[in-house]
Amino acid sequence: MRSVIVIPARWASTRFPGKPLVPIAGVSLIQRVYERAAHSKRANAIYVATDDERILGHVAEFAGKVVRPEGDFATGTDRIAAALPIIEMIEKEPFDVIVNVQGDEPLIDISSVDALIERLETTPSGMATLACPLETDDEFH
């Protein structure tokens, strides 16, 4: 099975405009997320799906794969859905598993993402969410 990680990244966040390009210790947030995703052992490709030329240009500068689907999207999931036909045209093959890694998750545990991909490849669930239980009241609060 073929899998792709797609990272939605938009410029016009109402709470933090331009967040994907903000540097964290000298490296942009979106580059940190992309580089973390690139450590996946199960994903066949990684793409950023963006609405903005600045993000597109920046991802291209660090040699990341990036697409810009046309339209206004209510969610990152909607952006990914619009980006997928473009990505599959570039890759020349469809993907069986599509993983949404949010553009503001620079510390995501990529082994958990790989476990999620494996689960989706081996279980006819169709959809899954990477989550963990809250184990203490302190975590809840």
Side-chain angles (χ1 to χ4, degrees):
M1 298 187 99
R2 291 179 42 81
S3 61
V4 61
I5 294 172
V6 185
I7 305 164
R10 68 186 184 110
W11 181 266
S13 166
T14 54
R15 293 177 303 214
F16 194 166
K19 177 170 60 171
L21 298 186
V22 170
I24 300 171
V27 177
S28 71
L29 175 61
I30 194 65
Q31 184 172 349
R32 288 197 179 277
V33 175
Y34 189 97
E35 288 174 352
R36 182 64 68 113
H39 289 288
S40 171
K41 292 176 173 54
R42 300 199 69 90
N44 299 98
I46 296 123
Y47 279 83
V48 172
T50 188
D51 64 344
D52 188 84
E53 284 296 321
R54 291 163 286 199
I55 296 169
L56 188 141
H58 177 68
V59 174
E61 283 176 10
F62 67 77
K65 294 180 179 180
V66 59
V67 295
R68 186 175 178 196
E70 294 297 320
D72 293 321
F73 305 102
T75 68
T77 303
D78 294 329
R79 186 176 316 287
I80 289 170
L84 194 56
I86 301 167
I87 293 168
E88 289 180 338
M89 186 176 64
I90 293 167
E91 294 289 321
K92 299 183 179 20
E93 286 189 67
F95 290 96
D96 305 293
V97 175
I98 297 91
V99 178
N100 176 347
V101 171
Q102 292 297 302
D104 59 0
E105 294 184 288
L107 301 178
I108 191 164
D109 178 3
I110 204 63
S111 65
S112 294
V113 173
D114 281 344
L116 180 69
I117 292 170
E118 182 177 11
R119 178 70 172 215
L120 287 167
E121 290 174 340
T122 59
T123 307
S125 57
M127 185 175 143
T129 298
L130 188 57
C132 66
L134 298 176
E135 296 178 353
T136 68
D137 286 341
D138 286 341
E139 285 180 335
F140 177 77
H141 294 289

